[in-house]
Amino acid sequence: NYSIETPSCDVVSFRAHGSRNDGSEKDTLRNARETGEVVINLVNYPMARQMAICGVQYDAGINEFNKSGLTPLPSQKVKPYRVKESPAQYECKVLEIKPLGDEEGEATLIIAQAVLMHIDENIFGSDGYVDPAKIEMVGRLGGFNYCRADVGSIFSIKQPPAEIAIGFDNLAEHLRHSTILTGNNLAMLAGVAQLPDEATIHEYMSQPEIKNFLSNLRAAPSDKYFVILHTRTKELLENHQANDAWKLILAAGNDV
């Protein structure tokens, strides 16, 4: 495993339930108050069932590592133990314990500074970054429901912060008010940093398939013009071809 010193700006938070059914304070909250330290262990799918056992309201003093079968590891900078099976563990110093309501037993927000992070080397991809398909993170939903970030549910959105997107306000009115293009579709158009130049558009228009499409588009009844254009635009966007979608829109003579 890799151990990484974290910068002082690395602040994490999590919600802890305030009390048990009998009104006594839950272990997580009490331990955070008493020690001023916590370890946040990320949960992935292979350990999800064991994690659920840790949520059982055992009496204070019962060792949940023994009950769940999870393996305790000594931390390096804080007192609480880490969980060996967790793909990433954050050793933290508590900064603030903030009640989220005025009534007894309300949930509490614990805000902490991460001082040391441990990461399982097996979750890295060949590019040196954490591979979400390998880490298989689990998220908590309502009630007894959870979600699993498996290969089939993971997708990427390429929107580099340094590339200034043109934004929705620079989309033509016919695009913004389209009944065919969805918000996601429009965001793909609005997310580009620059539009194709005139030479690129003319080269695109010279393709036989595009020539034929534009010819049919111009011959279409006026009430079908944008329906046809937006339908084809949507097809391109759904195939992640935002640049070609813009070429088609501009080739059709509808400037932004």
Coordinates of all heavy atoms in Angstrom, one line a residue, residues 81-165:
Y81 N -7.8 2.8 14.9 CA -7.3 1.8 13.9 C -7.9 2.0 12.5 O -9.0 2.6 12.4 CB -7.6 0.4 14.4 CG -6.7 -0.1 15.5 CD1 -7.0 0.1 16.8 CD2 -5.5 -0.8 15.2 CE1 -6.2 -0.4 17.8 CE2 -4.7 -1.3 16.2 CZ -5.1 -1.1 17.5 OH -4.3 -1.5 18.5
R82 N -7.1 1.6 11.5 CA -7.6 1.6 10.2 C -8.2 0.2 9.8 O -8.0 -0.7 10.6 CB -6.5 1.9 9.2 CG -5.8 3.2 9.4 CD -4.7 3.4 8.4 NE -3.5 2.7 8.7 CZ -2.8 1.9 7.9 NH1 -3.2 1.6 6.7 NH2 -1.7 1.2 8.3
V83 N -8.9 0.1 8.7 CA -9.5 -1.1 8.2 C -8.7 -1.6 7.0 O -8.6 -1.0 6.0 CB -11.0 -1.0 7.8 CG1 -11.5 -2.3 7.3 CG2 -11.8 -0.5 9.0
K84 N -8.0 -2.8 7.2 CA -7.1 -3.3 6.2 C -7.8 -3.5 4.9 O -7.3 -3.2 3.8 CB -6.5 -4.6 6.7 CG -5.6 -5.3 5.6 CD -5.0 -6.6 6.2 CE -4.1 -7.2 5.2 NZ -3.5 -8.5 5.7
E85 N -9.1 -4.0 4.9 CA -9.8 -4.3 3.7 C -10.2 -3.1 2.9 O -10.6 -3.2 1.7 CB -11.0 -5.2 4.0 CG -10.7 -6.6 4.5 CD -10.3 -6.7 5.9 OE1 -10.2 -5.6 6.6 OE2 -9.9 -7.8 6.3
S86 N -10.2 -1.9 3.5 CA -10.6 -0.7 2.8 C -9.6 -0.3 1.7 O -8.4 -0.3 2.0 CB -10.8 0.4 3.8 OG -10.9 1.7 3.2
P87 N -10.1 0.1 0.5 CA -9.1 0.4 -0.5 C -8.4 1.8 -0.3 O -7.4 2.0 -0.9 CB -10.0 0.5 -1.8 CG -11.4 0.9 -1.2 CD -11.5 0.1 0.1
A88 N -8.9 2.6 0.6 CA -8.3 3.9 0.9 C -8.7 4.3 2.3 O -9.9 4.2 2.7 CB -8.7 5.0 -0.1
Q89 N -7.7 4.7 3.1 CA -8.0 5.0 4.5 C -7.4 6.4 4.8 O -6.2 6.7 4.4 CB -7.4 4.0 5.5 CG -7.8 2.6 5.1 CD -6.5 1.7 4.9 OE1 -5.5 2.0 5.5 NE2 -6.7 0.7 4.1
Y90 N -8.2 7.3 5.4 CA -7.7 8.6 5.7 C -7.6 8.8 7.3 O -8.5 8.7 8.0 CB -8.7 9.7 5.3 CG -8.8 9.8 3.7 CD1 -9.6 8.9 3.0 CD2 -8.2 10.8 3.0 CE1 -9.8 9.0 1.7 CE2 -8.3 10.9 1.7 CZ -9.1 10.0 1.0 OH -9.3 10.0 -0.4
E91 N -6.3 9.0 7.7 CA -6.1 9.3 9.1 C -6.4 10.8 9.3 O -5.9 11.6 8.6 CB -4.7 9.0 9.5 CG -4.4 7.5 9.4 CD -3.0 7.2 10.0 OE1 -2.5 8.0 10.8 OE2 -2.4 6.2 9.5
C92 N -7.3 11.2 10.3 CA -7.7 12.5 10.4 C -7.7 13.1 11.8 O -7.9 12.3 12.8 CB -9.2 12.6 9.8 SG -9.4 12.0 8.2
K93 N -7.5 14.4 11.9 CA -7.7 15.2 13.1 C -9.0 15.9 13.0 O -9.3 16.6 12.1 CB -6.6 16.2 13.3 CG -5.2 15.6 13.3 CD -4.9 14.9 14.7 CE -3.4 14.4 14.8 NZ -3.1 13.8 16.1
V94 N -9.9 15.8 14.1 CA -11.2 16.4 14.1 C -11.0 17.9 14.2 O -10.3 18.4 15.1 CB -12.0 15.9 15.2 CG1 -13.4 16.6 15.3 CG2 -12.3 14.4 15.0
L95 N -11.7 18.7 13.3 CA -11.7 20.1 13.4 C -12.9 20.7 14.0 O -12.9 21.6 14.8 CB -11.6 20.7 11.9 CG -10.3 20.4 11.1 CD1 -10.4 20.9 9.7 CD2 -9.1 20.9 11.8
E96 N -14.1 20.0 13.7 CA -15.3 20.5 14.3 C -16.4 19.4 14.3 O -16.4 18.6 13.4 CB -15.9 21.7 13.4 CG -17.1 22.4 13.9 CD -17.6 23.5 13.1 OE1 -16.9 23.8 12.1 OE2 -18.6 24.1 13.4
I97 N -17.2 19.4 15.4 CA -18.3 18.5 15.5 C -19.5 19.4 15.5 O -19.8 20.1 16.5 CB -18.2 17.6 16.7 CG1 -16.9 16.7 16.6 CG2 -19.4 16.7 16.9 CD1 -16.7 15.8 17.8
K98 N -20.3 19.3 14.5 CA -21.4 20.3 14.3 C -22.8 19.6 14.3 O -23.1 18.8 13.4 CB -21.3 21.1 13.0 CG -22.3 22.1 12.8 CD -22.0 22.9 11.5 CE -23.0 24.0 11.2 NZ -22.9 25.0 12.3
P99 N -23.6 19.7 15.3 CA -25.0 19.1 15.3 C -25.8 19.7 14.1 O -25.7 20.9 13.8 CB -25.6 19.6 16.6 CG -24.4 20.0 17.5 CD -23.4 20.5 16.5
L100 N -26.6 18.8 13.5 CA -27.4 19.2 12.3 C -28.8 19.5 12.7 O -29.7 19.6 11.9 CB -27.3 18.1 11.3 CG -25.9 17.9 10.7 CD1 -25.9 16.8 9.6 CD2 -25.3 19.2 10.1
G101 N -29.1 19.6 14.0 CA -30.5 19.8 14.5 C -30.4 20.2 16.0 O -29.4 19.9 16.6
D102 N -31.6 20.7 16.5 CA -31.6 21.0 17.9 C -32.1 19.9 18.8 O -32.0 20.0 20.0 CB -32.5 22.3 18.1 CG -32.0 23.5 17.3 OD1 -30.8 23.6 17.2 OD2 -32.8 24.3 16.8
E103 N -32.8 18.9 18.2 CA -33.3 17.9 19.0 C -32.3 16.8 19.4 O -31.3 16.6 18.7 CB -34.5 17.2 18.3 CG -35.7 18.1 18.0 CD -36.8 17.4 17.3 OE1 -36.8 16.2 17.3 OE2 -37.7 18.1 16.8
E104 N -32.5 16.2 20.6 CA -31.6 15.1 21.0 C -31.6 14.0 20.0 O -32.6 13.5 19.5 CB -32.0 14.6 22.4 CG -31.1 13.6 23.0 CD -31.5 13.2 24.4 OE1 -32.4 13.8 24.9 OE2 -30.9 12.2 24.9
G105 N -30.4 13.5 19.7 CA -30.2 12.4 18.8 C -30.2 12.7 17.3 O -30.1 11.9 16.5
E106 N -30.2 14.0 17.0 CA -30.1 14.5 15.6 C -28.7 14.1 15.1 O -27.8 13.9 15.8 CB -30.3 16.0 15.5 CG -31.7 16.5 15.8 CD -32.6 16.3 14.6 OE1 -32.2 15.7 13.6 OE2 -33.8 16.8 14.7
A107 N -28.7 13.9 13.8 CA -27.4 13.6 13.1 C -26.4 14.7 13.3 O -26.7 15.9 13.6 CB -27.6 13.3 11.6
T108 N -25.1 14.4 13.3 CA -24.0 15.3 13.5 C -23.0 15.3 12.4 O -22.7 14.2 11.9 CB -23.3 15.0 14.9 OG1 -24.3 15.0 15.9 CG2 -22.2 16.0 15.2
L109 N -22.5 16.4 12.0 CA -21.5 16.5 11.0 C -20.1 16.6 11.6 O -19.9 17.5 12.5 CB -21.7 17.7 10.1 CG -20.8 17.9 8.9 CD1 -21.0 16.8 7.9 CD2 -21.0 19.3 8.2
I110 N -19.3 15.7 11.2 CA -17.9 15.7 11.7 C -17.0 16.2 10.6 O -16.9 15.6 9.6 CB -17.5 14.3 12.2 CG1 -18.4 13.8 13.4 CG2 -16.0 14.3 12.7 CD1 -18.1 12.4 13.9
I111 N -16.3 17.3 10.9 CA -15.4 17.9 9.9 C -14.0 17.6 10.4 O -13.6 17.9 11.6 CB -15.6 19.4 9.7 CG1 -17.1 19.6 9.4 CG2 -14.7 20.0 8.7 CD1 -17.5 21.1 9.4
A112 N -13.1 17.1 9.5 CA -11.8 16.7 10.0 C -10.7 17.0 8.9 O -11.0 17.1 7.7 CB -11.7 15.2 10.3
Q113 N -9.5 17.2 9.4 CA -8.4 17.4 8.4 C -7.6 16.1 8.2 O -7.2 15.4 9.2 CB -7.4 18.4 9.0 CG -6.2 18.6 8.1 CD -5.1 19.5 8.8 OE1 -5.4 20.2 9.7 NE2 -3.9 19.3 8.3
A114 N -7.5 15.6 7.0 CA -6.8 14.4 6.7 C -5.3 14.7 6.8 O -4.8 15.7 6.2 CB -7.1 14.0 5.3
V115 N -4.6 13.9 7.6 CA -3.1 14.1 7.8 C -2.3 13.0 7.1 O -1.1 13.2 6.8 CB -2.8 14.2 9.3 CG1 -3.4 15.4 9.9 CG2 -3.2 12.9 10.0
L116 N -2.9 11.9 6.8 CA -2.2 10.8 6.1 C -3.2 9.9 5.4 O -4.2 9.6 6.0 CB -1.4 10.0 7.1 CG -0.4 8.9 6.6 CD1 0.7 9.6 5.7 CD2 0.2 8.1 7.7
M117 N -2.9 9.6 4.2 CA -3.8 8.7 3.4 C -3.1 7.4 3.0 O -1.9 7.5 2.6 CB -4.3 9.5 2.2 CG -5.2 8.7 1.2 SD -5.9 9.7 -0.1 CE -4.4 10.3 -0.9
H118 N -3.7 6.3 3.1 CA -3.2 5.0 2.7 C -4.1 4.5 1.5 O -5.3 4.5 1.6 CB -3.2 4.0 3.8 CG -2.6 4.5 5.1 ND1 -1.3 4.4 5.3 CD2 -3.1 5.2 6.1 CE1 -1.0 4.9 6.5 NE2 -2.1 5.4 7.0
I119 N -3.4 4.1 0.4 CA -4.2 3.6 -0.7 C -3.6 2.3 -1.2 O -2.4 2.0 -1.3 CB -4.0 4.6 -1.9 CG1 -4.4 6.0 -1.5 CG2 -4.9 4.2 -3.1 CD1 -4.2 7.1 -2.6
D120 N -4.6 1.3 -1.4 CA -4.2 0.0 -1.9 C -3.7 0.1 -3.4 O -4.3 0.7 -4.3 CB -5.5 -0.9 -1.9 CG -5.2 -2.3 -2.4 OD1 -4.1 -2.6 -2.9 OD2 -6.1 -3.1 -2.2
E121 N -2.4 -0.3 -3.6 CA -1.8 -0.2 -4.9 C -2.5 -0.9 -6.0 O -2.4 -0.6 -7.2 CB -0.3 -0.6 -4.8 CG -0.2 -2.1 -4.4 CD 1.3 -2.5 -4.2 OE1 2.1 -1.6 -4.1 OE2 1.5 -3.7 -4.2
N122 N -3.4 -1.9 -5.6 CA -4.1 -2.7 -6.6 C -5.2 -1.9 -7.3 O -5.8 -2.4 -8.3 CB -4.6 -4.0 -6.0 CG -3.5 -4.9 -5.6 OD1 -2.6 -5.2 -6.3 ND2 -3.6 -5.4 -4.3
I123 N -5.6 -0.7 -6.8 CA -6.7 0.0 -7.4 C -6.2 1.0 -8.4 O -7.0 1.7 -9.0 CB -7.6 0.7 -6.3 CG1 -6.8 1.8 -5.6 CG2 -8.1 -0.3 -5.3 CD1 -7.6 2.6 -4.7
F124 N -4.9 1.1 -8.7 CA -4.4 2.0 -9.7 C -4.4 1.4 -11.1 O -4.3 0.2 -11.3 CB -2.9 2.4 -9.3 CG -2.8 3.3 -8.2 CD1 -2.5 2.8 -6.9 CD2 -3.0 4.7 -8.3 CE1 -2.4 3.6 -5.8 CE2 -2.9 5.5 -7.2 CZ -2.6 5.0 -6.0
G125 N -4.7 2.2 -12.0 CA -4.7 1.8 -13.4 C -3.3 2.0 -14.0 O -2.4 2.5 -13.4
S126 N -3.1 1.6 -15.3 CA -1.8 1.7 -15.9 C -1.4 3.2 -16.1 O -0.2 3.4 -16.3 CB -1.9 1.1 -17.3 OG -2.9 1.6 -18.1
D127 N -2.3 4.1 -16.0 CA -2.0 5.6 -16.2 C -1.5 6.2 -14.9 O -1.2 7.4 -14.8 CB -3.1 6.3 -16.7 CG -4.4 6.2 -15.8 OD1 -4.3 5.5 -14.8 OD2 -5.4 6.8 -16.2
G128 N -1.5 5.4 -13.8 CA -1.0 5.9 -12.5 C -2.1 6.5 -11.7 O -1.8 7.0 -10.5
Y129 N -3.3 6.6 -12.2 CA -4.4 7.1 -11.4 C -5.3 6.0 -10.9 O -5.3 4.9 -11.4 CB -5.3 8.1 -12.3 CG -4.6 9.4 -12.7 CD1 -3.8 9.5 -13.9 CD2 -4.7 10.5 -11.9 CE1 -3.2 10.6 -14.2 CE2 -4.0 11.7 -12.2 CZ -3.3 11.7 -13.4 OH -2.6 12.9 -13.7
V130 N -6.1 6.3 -9.9 CA -7.1 5.3 -9.3 C -8.1 5.0 -10.4 O -8.7 5.8 -11.1 CB -7.8 5.9 -8.1 CG1 -8.9 5.0 -7.7 CG2 -6.8 6.1 -7.0
D131 N -8.2 3.7 -10.7 CA -9.1 3.2 -11.7 C -10.5 2.9 -11.0 O -10.6 2.0 -10.1 CB -8.6 1.9 -12.3 CG -9.4 1.3 -13.4 OD1 -10.6 1.7 -13.5 OD2 -8.9 0.5 -14.2
P132 N -11.5 3.6 -11.3 CA -12.8 3.5 -10.6 C -13.4 2.1 -10.8 O -14.2 1.6 -10.0 CB -13.7 4.5 -11.3 CG -13.1 4.9 -12.5 CD -11.6 4.7 -12.3
A133 N -13.0 1.4 -11.9 CA -13.5 0.0 -12.2 C -12.9 -1.0 -11.2 O -13.4 -2.0 -10.9 CB -13.3 -0.4 -13.6
K134 N -11.7 -0.6 -10.7 CA -11.0 -1.5 -9.8 C -11.3 -1.3 -8.4 O -11.4 -2.2 -7.5 CB -9.4 -1.4 -10.0 CG -8.9 -1.9 -11.3 CD -7.4 -1.8 -11.4 CE -6.8 -2.4 -12.6 NZ -5.4 -2.3 -12.7
I135 N -11.6 0.0 -8.0 CA -11.9 0.3 -6.6 C -13.3 -0.1 -6.3 O -13.6 -0.5 -5.1 CB -11.7 1.8 -6.4 CG1 -11.7 2.1 -4.9 CG2 -12.7 2.7 -7.1 CD1 -11.3 3.5 -4.5
E136 N -14.3 -0.1 -7.2 CA -15.7 -0.6 -7.0 C -16.3 0.0 -5.7 O -16.7 -0.7 -4.8 CB -15.7 -2.1 -6.8 CG -15.5 -2.9 -8.1 CD -16.0 -4.3 -8.0 OE1 -15.2 -5.1 -7.4 OE2 -17.0 -4.7 -8.5
M137 N -16.3 1.3 -5.7 CA -16.8 2.1 -4.6 C -18.3 1.8 -4.3 O -19.1 1.5 -5.3 CB -16.6 3.5 -4.7 CG -15.2 4.0 -4.6 SD -14.6 3.7 -2.9 CE -15.6 4.8 -2.0
V138 N -18.8 1.8 -3.1 CA -20.1 1.7 -2.7 C -20.6 3.0 -2.1 O -20.0 3.6 -1.3 CB -20.3 0.5 -1.6 CG1 -21.7 0.6 -1.0 CG2 -20.1 -0.8 -2.3
G139 N -21.8 3.4 -2.5 CA -22.4 4.6 -2.0 C -23.7 4.3 -1.2 O -24.4 3.4 -1.6
R140 N -24.0 5.1 -0.2 CA -25.2 4.9 0.6 C -26.3 5.7 0.1 O -26.2 6.9 -0.2 CB -24.9 5.3 2.1 CG -26.0 5.1 3.1 CD -26.2 3.7 3.4 NE -27.4 3.4 4.2 CZ -27.4 3.4 5.6 NH1 -26.2 3.7 6.2 NH2 -28.4 3.2 6.2
L141 N -27.4 5.0 -0.1 CA -28.7 5.6 -0.5 C -29.6 5.7 0.7 O -29.2 5.5 1.8 CB -29.3 4.9 -1.7 CG -28.4 4.7 -2.9 CD1 -29.0 3.9 -4.0 CD2 -28.0 6.1 -3.5
G142 N -30.9 5.8 0.4 CA -31.8 5.9 1.6 C -32.1 4.5 2.1 O -32.1 3.5 1.4
G143 N -32.5 4.4 3.4 CA -32.9 3.2 4.0 C -31.8 2.1 4.0 O -30.6 2.4 4.4
F144 N -32.1 0.9 3.5 CA -31.1 -0.1 3.4 C -30.5 -0.3 2.0 O -30.0 -1.3 1.6 CB -31.8 -1.5 3.8 CG -32.2 -1.5 5.2 CD1 -33.5 -1.5 5.6 CD2 -31.2 -1.6 6.2 CE1 -33.9 -1.6 6.9 CE2 -31.6 -1.7 7.6 CZ -32.9 -1.7 7.9
N145 N -30.6 0.8 1.2 CA -30.2 0.7 -0.2 C -28.8 1.3 -0.4 O -28.5 2.4 0.2 CB -31.2 1.5 -1.1 CG -32.6 0.8 -1.0 OD1 -32.7 -0.4 -1.2 ND2 -33.6 1.6 -0.8
Y146 N -28.1 0.7 -1.3 CA -26.7 1.2 -1.6 C -26.6 1.1 -3.2 O -27.4 0.5 -3.9 CB -25.7 0.3 -1.0 CG -25.7 0.3 0.5 CD1 -26.5 -0.6 1.2 CD2 -24.8 1.1 1.2 CE1 -26.6 -0.6 2.6 CE2 -24.8 1.1 2.6 CZ -25.7 0.3 3.3 OH -25.7 0.3 4.7
C147 N -25.5 1.8 -3.7 CA -25.2 1.7 -5.1 C -23.8 1.3 -5.3 O -22.9 1.6 -4.4 CB -25.5 3.0 -5.8 SG -24.5 4.4 -5.2
R148 N -23.5 0.6 -6.4 CA -22.2 0.1 -6.6 C -21.6 0.7 -7.9 O -22.3 0.7 -9.0 CB -22.3 -1.4 -6.8 CG -21.0 -2.1 -7.2 CD -21.2 -3.6 -7.4 NE -20.1 -4.4 -7.8 CZ -20.1 -5.6 -8.1 NH1 -21.2 -6.3 -8.1 NH2 -18.9 -6.3 -8.4
A149 N -20.4 1.3 -7.8 CA -19.8 1.9 -9.0 C -19.0 0.9 -9.7 O -17.8 0.8 -9.7 CB -18.9 3.1 -8.6
D150 N -19.8 0.0 -10.5 CA -19.1 -1.0 -11.2 C -18.8 -0.5 -12.7 O -19.1 0.6 -13.0 CB -19.9 -2.3 -11.2 CG -21.3 -2.1 -11.8 OD1 -21.5 -1.1 -12.5 OD2 -22.2 -3.0 -11.7
V151 N -18.2 -1.4 -13.5 CA -17.8 -1.0 -14.8 C -18.9 -0.5 -15.6 O -18.8 0.5 -16.4 CB -17.1 -2.2 -15.5 CG1 -16.7 -1.8 -16.9 CG2 -15.8 -2.6 -14.8
G152 N -20.1 -1.1 -15.5 CA -21.2 -0.7 -16.4 C -21.8 0.6 -16.0 O -22.6 1.2 -16.8
S153 N -21.6 1.1 -14.8 CA -22.2 2.4 -14.4 C -21.2 3.5 -14.3 O -21.6 4.6 -14.0 CB -22.8 2.2 -13.0 OG -21.8 1.9 -12.0
I154 N -20.0 3.3 -14.8 CA -19.0 4.4 -14.7 C -18.9 5.0 -16.1 O -18.8 4.3 -17.1 CB -17.6 3.8 -14.3 CG1 -17.7 3.3 -12.8 CG2 -16.5 4.9 -14.3 CD1 -16.5 2.5 -12.4
F155 N -18.9 6.4 -16.1 CA -18.6 7.1 -17.4 C -17.8 8.3 -17.1 O -17.7 8.8 -16.0 CB -20.0 7.4 -18.1 CG -20.9 8.3 -17.2 CD1 -20.8 9.7 -17.4 CD2 -21.7 7.8 -16.3 CE1 -21.6 10.6 -16.6 CE2 -22.6 8.6 -15.6 CZ -22.5 10.0 -15.7
S156 N -17.2 8.8 -18.1 CA -16.3 10.0 -18.0 C -17.0 11.2 -18.7 O -17.7 11.1 -19.7 CB -15.0 9.8 -18.6 OG -14.3 8.7 -17.9
I157 N -16.8 12.4 -18.2 CA -17.2 13.6 -18.8 C -15.9 14.5 -19.0 O -15.3 14.9 -18.0 CB -18.2 14.4 -18.0 CG1 -19.5 13.6 -17.9 CG2 -18.5 15.7 -18.6 CD1 -20.6 14.2 -17.0
K158 N -15.5 14.7 -20.2 CA -14.2 15.4 -20.5 C -14.6 16.9 -20.6 O -15.1 17.4 -21.6 CB -13.6 14.9 -21.8 CG -13.2 13.5 -21.7 CD -12.1 13.2 -20.7 CE -11.8 11.7 -20.6 NZ -11.2 11.1 -21.8
Q159 N -14.4 17.6 -19.5 CA -14.6 19.1 -19.5 C -13.5 19.7 -18.7 O -13.6 20.1 -17.5 CB -15.9 19.4 -18.8 CG -16.4 20.8 -18.9 CD -16.8 21.2 -20.3 OE1 -17.7 20.6 -20.9 NE2 -16.2 22.2 -20.9
P160 N -12.3 19.9 -19.3 CA -11.1 20.5 -18.6 C -11.4 21.9 -18.1 O -11.9 22.7 -18.9 CB -10.1 20.5 -19.7 CG -10.5 19.5 -20.7 CD -12.0 19.5 -20.7
P161 N -11.2 22.1 -16.8 CA -11.5 23.4 -16.2 C -10.8 24.6 -16.9 O -11.4 25.7 -16.9 CB -11.1 23.3 -14.8 CG -11.1 21.8 -14.5 CD -10.7 21.2 -15.8
A162 N -9.6 24.3 -17.4 CA -8.9 25.4 -18.0 C -9.4 25.8 -19.4 O -9.0 26.9 -19.9 CB -7.4 25.0 -18.2
E163 N -10.2 25.0 -20.0 CA -10.8 25.3 -21.4 C -12.1 26.0 -21.1 O -13.1 25.4 -20.7 CB -10.9 24.0 -22.2 CG -9.6 23.4 -22.6 CD -9.8 22.2 -23.5 OE1 -10.9 21.9 -23.9 OE2 -8.8 21.5 -23.7
I164 N -12.2 27.3 -21.4 CA -13.4 28.1 -21.2 C -14.5 27.7 -22.1 O -14.4 28.0 -23.3 CB -13.1 29.6 -21.2 CG1 -11.9 29.9 -20.3 CG2 -14.3 30.4 -20.9 CD1 -12.1 29.5 -18.8
A165 N -15.5 27.1 -21.6 CA -16.7 26.6 -22.5 C -17.5 27.8 -22.9 O -17.6 28.9 -22.2 CB -17.5 25.7 -21.7

